[in-house]
Amino acid sequence: MHLASMPSQLEGAMDTLIRVFHHYSAKEGDKYKLNKGELKQLLTSELTDFLACQKDPQLVDKIMNDLDSNRDNEVDFNEFVVLVAALTVACNDFFEEQMKKRGE
Amino acid sequence: MHLASMPSQLEGAMDTLIRVFHHYSAKEGDKYKLNKGELKQLLTSELTDFLACQKDPQLVDKIMNDLDSNRDNEVDFNEFVVLVAALTVACNDFFEEQMKKRGE
């Protein structure tokens, strides 16, 4: 174990996911869950530009609705990661399509 | 759309996931998929220290075996994101446990 060594890019990205989630989840109520207000704040502050690469303008609403259907109206870290994964896959699809169009 | 504005931390992390995947997937064969060699290279180069926070030393082997069971022995971006999500959730569980122990 070399805990003092530099984290890789991927490790840094994973660490960022954890820190961003807790930055918003700690604001009020359960410190380890996002309530609706915290989730909305996170989405509008952290995902504005990235969502612009989505081709489906309803995608965020759909995801929000899915998350809303939870009994407690709260989003834990696991649910948050599923959301981020879905958005990243959508953006990667867009990216790969552009690459293929350019014949790369 | 403000494409010239600074990406948020979360957008940066999502962008990193996409770039890291393609850095390794483009090395040989299908440019959009990781073969076993590329995946192993990615895991050992990019996840060494972060995996140290796992309490289950067999976790990576288990995930590797799951991924190996794919018919084509290749990992596309969607499968890669599932892997990263699972590892991040495991690390977050560890982090939250530490926080709770300290009564935070």
Side-chain angles (χ1 to χ4, degrees):
Chain A
M1 258 169 76
H2 301 282
L3 290 175
S5 67
M6 284 288 289
S8 71
Q9 287 198 308
L10 185 57
E11 289 166 342
M14 291 163 72
D15 183 59
T16 297
L17 296 187
I18 293 175
R19 279 188 298 102
V20 166
F21 176 84
H22 290 284
H23 175 73
Y24 290 89
S25 73
K27 284 183 191 286
E28 51 179 49
D30 188 329
K31 293 173 70 167
Y32 302 105
K33 289 182 179 174
L34 296 168
N35 64 25
K36 270 177 97 162
E38 289 167 339
L39 176 64
K40 209 162 191 169
Q41 228 180 318
L42 189 158
L43 291 177
T44 39
S45 310
E46 300 288 334
L47 288 170
T48 338
D49 290 354
F50 207 77
L51 290 171
C53 93
Q54 304 301 323
K55 282 187 291 185
D56 180 355
Q58 259 86 56
L59 187 65
V60 183
D61 286 343
K62 279 180 207 157
I63 294 166
M64 279 287 271
N65 286 338
D66 284 347
L67 296 171
D68 284 355
S69 71
N70 295 341
R71 209 179 45 219
D72 64 355
N73 266 341
E74 300 213 298
V75 175
D76 64 18
F77 185 75
N78 300 22
E79 293 167 318
F80 170 70
V81 164
V82 170
L83 168 74
V84 173
L87 293 174
T88 311
V89 163
C91 275
N92 180 69
D93 287 347
F94 180 77
F95 171 74
E96 289 192 2
E97 212 173 275
Q98 296 304 308
M99 294 276 285
K100 282 169 186 168
K101 263 185 200 155
R102 282 186 285 152
E104 281 177 32
Chain B
M1 260 170 75
H2 302 279
L3 290 176
S5 67
M6 284 287 289
S8 71
Q9 286 198 308
L10 185 56
E11 288 166 344
M14 291 162 72
D15 183 59
T16 298
L17 295 186
I18 294 174
R19 279 189 296 102
V20 166
F21 176 86
H22 290 284
H23 175 75
Y24 291 90
S25 73
K27 284 182 190 286
E28 51 178 50
D30 189 328
K31 293 174 70 167
Y32 303 104
K33 289 183 180 176
L34 297 167
N35 63 25
K36 271 177 98 163
E38 289 167 337
L39 176 64
K40 208 162 192 169
Q41 227 180 318
L42 189 158
L43 291 177
T44 39
S45 310
E46 300 288 334
L47 287 170
T48 337
D49 290 354
F50 208 78
L51 289 172
C53 92
Q54 303 302 322
K55 282 187 292 184
D56 180 356
Q58 259 88 56
L59 187 66
V60 183
D61 285 344
K62 279 179 207 159
I63 294 167
M64 279 289 271
N65 286 338
D66 284 348
L67 296 171
D68 283 356
S69 71
N70 294 341
R71 210 180 44 223
D72 64 355
N73 266 342
E74 300 214 299
V75 174
D76 64 18
F77 185 75
N78 300 21
E79 293 167 317
F80 169 69
V81 163
V82 170
L83 167 74
V84 173
L87 294 174
T88 311
V89 163
C91 275
N92 180 69
D93 287 347
F94 180 77
F95 172 72
E96 289 193 3
E97 214 173 274
Q98 297 303 308
M99 295 276 284
K100 281 169 188 169
K101 264 187 200 154
R102 283 185 285 151
E104 282 175 34

